[in-house]
């Protein structure tokens, strides 16, 4: 790291590639010869229209999004999608929700306002430390969709497979999008808040099968109707232009690193190193069970809350920050998103070993 | 202007103070000694919590927001508020809407989904070139609120007075917030998309009387309920952190320029110079009637669409950009927001005079 920067293990908003920040800085006062910052551009201007179209195309290429699916650049975060999804897709019927963590639980609760929610599985009995196998999923015949969250940021678990369901798959990929190839055509809708693997907070990417649009409940706000948003190419109103521009820079960087295939190799390597350290440790242990472990958010603990806090402080003094776990899970969490350099993981492992030497 | 920048007359997103962009650039890689960009900070981190609280406090001071009113930093733009307002305040009853332009018309249409909309006035018969006087407003006894848009960006009119109504006043101040003092206590709710006078696109500021919260319709998304948002201090989910930070820098700059009183003097002066030029011109004429004219968006035309287009090109060649009027209004529009330097207005006037010399 240069410029007195730290290793930032925040779960989101989170680390961005240093090269991306440097490019944004260089273009801050005058982007693409426009004489203005991207932050000052009309969203209808020629230069921003170019940025918008390019970003969409880069994302389509990076994830190989089929033409059947539209890419939307929205606001409001995953939390607004918790409502938008049932408002658009539920039609007052039943939807199946797999509850494997904090955000899928919230999504299921919100959906109850708009139709019947059937809980397809619930792993809260074991502290959400695992992902159920396919045969454990209770599916409703004729369900409007099957909803799950691919990676559970809070508990550190990640679905190792794409579930099979007759209903369209709806997936929250907020914390692992762009970290691996995805067969987008298998999904009715996938979406992600940008602030983990894509861009600064304030952008939500929704990728939706156009065939599913057009069934919004009558009280759906216009700016939450997928049909309307598709018709207006995400520009019913002013989009979060700066975040879209930042995503564009991140996608350029991602391409230079080998695309999502390159990201997958890196994430496997980062996580393998850290889990190996945890499995060998006499002080720290991983929260998630093998087979369900997340490559993106590694949750671990000592079993002693005071010792956990001491470790978080110890690491922060060494420039490794935001390792405190989510308040509802406790312990530690190291988020290893695309932009986390391997050196950051190695520095964390060294720090854990040093701390362990003093505390076992 | 330095750094090869232009004069940007865009109606929004729009010009930001050059000093603000320079400060954001300087802090891009490492803000406040955190070792990271504001774009990378957890919204729950100590540093960002400080930025968030400071921004709120600076805005409270700048607009003298009374303690009865909460300041919310949201996403989704004015368009999401077109739905959120009736969802929270209408209770299925009647609300009065003053339709004096494009955005108030859209707001009224959206509200029809949630209750009965009574049109208190409609100036479309004269191309929205004026603001009605108080006695023209048709008010419903027992209305849940009276809605209006303080400044009509598209048509270039601005309410010269705060209307009187028994019902709580709800006001869209997207294009003139922070351009003058406002007696916030007179309003039940006022709101503004940030991308004109406050910050980059992606932030919506809502200032709401806490006494009005708690009446949301049952299907209101959780993240659109004012009551819930107040309880969570705008942090039910991740807020648009970068835009909030940029607002903080803009508010520092605004304070240095004499606050909203200073802004009001400047805006009166900018607009006075340009309207004087228009009223003297034999080629250009202002669209809005005297007494209803906006200081923020000056709409004008030659009466000949081809000549209008030629002027827009002529000005752009001289570094005065985004002067084309909104497509539904035609002609030209010069947006003179807080960050527009007086030199930009003078340069526009010189350019108009030069063009006129060649075309009259």
């Amino acid at each position: 790291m240069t410029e007195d920067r730290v290793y930032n293990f925040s779960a989101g908003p989170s680390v961005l590639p240093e090269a991306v920040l440097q490019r944004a800085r260089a273009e801050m006062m005058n982007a693409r010869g426009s004489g203005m910052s991207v932050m000052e551009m009309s969203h209808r201007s020629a230069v921003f229209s170019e940025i918008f179209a390019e970003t969409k195309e880069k994302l389509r290429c990076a994830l190989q999004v089929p033409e059947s699916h539209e890419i939307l650049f929205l606001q409001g975060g995953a939390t607004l999608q918790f409502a938008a999804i049932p408002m658009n897709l539920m039609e007052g019927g039943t939807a199946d929700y797999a509850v494997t963590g904090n955000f899928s639980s919230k999504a299921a609760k919100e959906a109850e306002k708009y139709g019947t929610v059937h809980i397809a599985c619930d792993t809260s009995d074991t502290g959400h430390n695992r992902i159920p196998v396919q045969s454990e999923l209770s599916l409703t015949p004729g369900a409007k969709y099957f909803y799950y969250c691919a990676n559970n940021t809070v508990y550190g678990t990640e679905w190792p497979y794409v579930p099979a369901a007759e209903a369209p798959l709806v997936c929250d990929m907020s914390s692992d999008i762009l970290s691996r190839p995805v067969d987008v055509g298998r999904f009715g809708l996938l979406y992600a808040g940008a602030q983990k693997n894509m861009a600064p907070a304030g952008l939500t990417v929704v990728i939706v099968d156009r065939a599913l649009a057009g069934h919004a409940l009558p009280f759906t706000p216009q700016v939450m109707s997928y049909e309307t948003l598709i018709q207006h190419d995400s520009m019913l109103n002013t989009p979060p232009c700066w975040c879209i521009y930042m995503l564009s820079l991140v996608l350029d960087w991602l391409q230079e690193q080998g695309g999502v295939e390159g990201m997958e190799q890196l994430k496997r390597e980062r996580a393998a190193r850290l889990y190996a350290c945890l499995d060998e440790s006499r002080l720290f242990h991983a929260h998630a069970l093998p087979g369900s472990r997340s490559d993106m958010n590694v949750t671990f603990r000592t079993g002693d809350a005071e010792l956990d806090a001491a470790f978080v402080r110890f690491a922060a003094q060494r420039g490794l920050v935001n390792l405190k776990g989510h308040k509802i899970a406790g312990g530690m969490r190291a988020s290893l998103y695309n932009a986390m350099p391997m050196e950051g993981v190695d520095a964390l492992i060294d720090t854990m070993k040093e701390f362990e030497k003093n505390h076992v």
Side-chain angles (χ1 to χ4, degrees), chain A residues 11-231:
Chain A
S14 44
V15 57
L16 287 162
E18 203 168 317
V20 163
L21 291 171
Q22 284 164 342
R23 194 166 149 202
R25 180 173 64 178
E27 298 178 344
M28 177 65 101
M29 308 301 294
N30 185 347
R32 300 191 179 197
S34 65
M36 64 182 81
S37 172
V38 172
M39 287 186 264
E40 302 174 293
M41 284 181 190
S42 166
H43 57 300
R44 310 278 184 203
S45 67
V47 180
F48 188 76
S49 298
E50 194 178 272
I51 292 171
F52 184 92
E54 281 176 14
T55 311
K56 211 172 138 177
E57 188 54 31
K58 285 176 199 171
L59 185 58
R60 190 173 285 283
C61 289
L63 286 175
Q64 301 206 16
V65 179
E67 286 304 321
S68 52
H69 285 56
E70 183 64 46
I71 296 173
L72 300 172
F73 293 142
L74 309 179
Q75 296 183 57
T79 307
L80 194 63
Q81 293 307 312
F82 294 169
I85 288 164
M87 278 180 165
N88 280 278
L89 307 183
M90 215 171 186
E91 298 180 88
T94 297
D96 292 338
Y97 276 74
V99 175
T100 57
N102 185 48
F103 291 105
S104 46
S105 168
K106 287 184 175 177
K109 190 157 188 300
E110 184 77 344
E112 286 173 2
K113 292 178 187 161
Y114 310 104
T116 304
V117 170
H118 171 72
I119 302 298
C121 68
D122 184 343
T123 53
S124 60
D125 57 333
T126 57
H128 294 307
N129 67 347
R130 66 185 194 93
I131 298 296
V133 296
Q134 175 75 44
S135 60
E136 289 177 77
L137 302 176
S138 154
L139 303 176
T140 308
K144 292 294 181 184
Y145 57 86
F146 173 85
Y147 181 102
Y148 75 112
C149 178
N151 184 85
N152 298 296
T153 324
V154 171
Y155 297 96
T157 59
E158 191 171 4
W159 286 67
Y161 67 101
V162 174
E166 275 182 39
L169 292 181
V170 173
C171 185
D172 176 356
M173 291 194 185
S174 291
S175 50
D176 68 352
I177 195 163
L178 292 178
S179 74
R180 57 187 165 87
V182 173
D183 184 357
V184 175
R186 288 185 64 182
F187 294 84
L189 184 150
L190 64 87
Y191 73 101
Q195 68 271 20
K196 297 167 193 289
N197 251 339
M198 294 200 285
L203 169 66
T204 317
V205 173
V206 173
I207 303 178
V208 58
D209 184 345
R210 289 191 191 88
L212 293 181
H215 303 280
L217 295 172
F219 51 72
T220 304
Q222 196 189 15
V223 73
M224 290 172 72
S225 154
Y226 296 138
E227 184 181 31
T228 304
L229 290 163
I230 291 168
Q231 279 165 3

